[in-house]
Amino acid sequence: METPSLGAGFSYSIQGAWSYLLQIGLDLRLFYWCGSTPITRKDQANMDYSRCKQILHDFYSENGIIDHFERDNLYLEKAFHEINEMWFRNLECIKEVKYLMIAEAPLWGKDKSYIYNPETKNTQFFQKKDLERVIGLNVYNKLDFLNYCNKMGLLIIDISPFAFNTEDTIINYRNKTSNNPYGLTKYQYRGLIEKTLTTFFDIKIQAISLKKSRNIKIFYRYRRVMIQFNDLIYNSFVKYDFAINENEISDISKRGGGIDGFKFRQIIF
């Protein structure tokens, strides 16, 4: 007599149970997809926003927009803590970090748009189809997408602690022009990253160093970010013993804003 399989039926039962938990509003949030449980995260505890707040306050003051600071900071501080909670919980789900993609900062906003928020959709930053072309499998939803990324050891890290955008903050990451007077100049942008490096980016790199592969591959989502910041950020990789040459770090961007599938496949394979 054949033993019944637990495959598809069991899978659907789990999915149904999860849907029920969502409906009754339990805040299980971000550790459910890998079965992880909340643990004490020393590195996350060191992500103190107070230093970032002071840097931001000084920046607003120096640029004559201090009247906007309190309003912007309320949003930015809350976003900082929620985003980092998601990021560190996701890091727990990865056994070994084999690929590290460097980004800028989440759009976040009222929809909390972020790559590691399973309740928001993928954006042009990293679409499901971009992953499907590399792994050769169908990716059905955001949860599926995160599962595949975690299993393959792909982690995304932002360089900036500030979730600036054009709606929730007076400052944004677009180039400063006459039509966008509150965009960051390259000098301003680099200054903010340099000042927050030790209290933000370095703390995450230190956490990754405990899980990094000996042959980890590092690449940028956007070429312009690589050109502007690679010399600065590379120092962090040296500090935490990432055995990678600065010239080996590349990007996967293409003209028009999407991901270059050929470049991406070359890195993964």
Side-chain angles (χ1 to χ4, degrees):
M1 184 176 182
E2 187 177 16
T3 303
S5 169
L6 293 178
F10 182 75
S11 175
Y12 287 129
S13 297
I14 293 296
Q15 290 177 7
W18 173 243
S19 296
Y20 174 72
L21 289 175
L22 283 180
Q23 289 171 12
I24 63 175
L26 292 181
D27 186 18
L28 298 180
R29 293 198 301 181
L30 298 163
F31 52 88
Y32 59 85
W33 64 75
C34 62
S36 173
T37 55
I39 61 173
T40 300
R41 292 179 292 274
K42 177 182 175 183
D43 293 306
Q44 184 179 348
N46 290 333
M47 298 289 286
D48 182 6
Y49 183 75
S50 60
R51 178 57 185 150
C52 293
K53 180 179 180 179
Q54 185 59 54
I55 291 168
L56 192 67
H57 181 277
D58 293 345
F59 182 86
Y60 273 56
S61 180
E62 292 164 3
N63 288 278
I65 52 174
I66 194 64
D67 290 346
H68 298 271
F69 174 75
E70 291 299 333
R71 175 253 187 190
D72 286 10
N73 186 67
L74 283 174
Y75 155 77
L76 290 168
E77 184 169 2
K78 188 172 187 293
F80 176 90
H81 291 301
E82 292 184 6
I83 289 166
N84 287 313
E85 176 71 12
M86 292 181 182
W87 189 88
F88 276 99
R89 284 191 173 182
N90 189 82
L91 180 60
E92 291 177 3
C93 299
I94 301 178
K95 183 177 180 180
E96 182 181 44
V97 180
K98 299 177 181 178
Y99 311 100
L100 184 63
M101 183 195 297
I102 304 172
E104 286 185 281
L107 287 174
W108 199 246
K110 67 180 186 303
D111 296 328
K112 299 186 178 182
S113 179
Y114 181 41
I115 192 71
Y116 288 123
N117 185 354
E119 298 178 12
T120 60
K121 295 181 179 180
N122 291 73
T123 65
Q124 188 183 42
F125 169 76
F126 194 178
Q127 298 280 14
K128 290 185 294 182
K129 64 183 179 182
D130 296 316
L131 186 61
E132 288 176 329
R133 289 167 182 164
V134 170
I135 63 177
L137 297 169
N138 291 327
V139 179
Y140 296 103
N141 50 43
K142 185 69 172 292
L143 187 58
D144 209 23
F145 172 89
L146 293 172
N147 266 322
Y148 278 123
C149 287
N150 291 339
K151 287 177 181 177
M152 66 192 288
L154 171 60
L155 180 67
I156 296 156
I157 182 174
D158 294 300
I159 62 172
S160 174
F162 304 121
F164 297 137
N165 60 50
T166 56
E167 294 182 4
D168 299 286
T169 57
I170 190 169
I171 297 171
N172 62 76
Y173 286 110
R174 297 177 183 175
N175 290 331
K176 186 173 185 177
T177 64
S178 57
N179 293 326
N180 183 37
Y182 297 111
L184 291 171
T185 66
K186 289 183 178 180
Y187 175 79
Q188 290 172 327
Y189 193 1
R190 186 178 174 90
L192 282 175
I193 299 305
E194 190 167 11
K195 289 175 181 177
T196 59
L197 204 62
T198 58
T199 54
F200 176 72
F201 188 78
D202 279 7
I203 292 174
K204 289 190 172 183
I205 292 300
Q206 185 177 25
I208 294 169
S209 70
L210 303 176
K211 287 192 168 189
K212 71 178 186 299
S213 165
R214 292 181 61 187
N215 300 311
I216 189 171
K217 295 182 179 179
I218 300 172
F219 57 98
Y220 285 83
R221 171 60 181 86
Y222 301 108
R223 183 169 181 78
R224 58 179 172 76
V225 177
M226 181 181 73
I227 292 172
Q228 189 170 353
F229 297 106
N230 195 46
D231 63 320
L232 184 63
I233 289 172
Y234 182 70
N235 293 329
S236 298
F237 298 131
V238 173
K239 186 188 302 184
Y240 294 104
D241 299 320
F242 281 64
I244 188 164
N245 188 294
E246 184 175 358
N247 296 323
E248 293 175 350
I249 301 176
S250 58
D251 72 280
I252 58 169
S253 61
K254 71 175 180 181
R255 190 170 295 178
I259 285 178
D260 187 312
F262 178 74
K263 289 181 182 179
F264 194 21
R265 282 190 296 273
Q266 278 191 317
I267 290 170
I268 300 301
F269 297 112

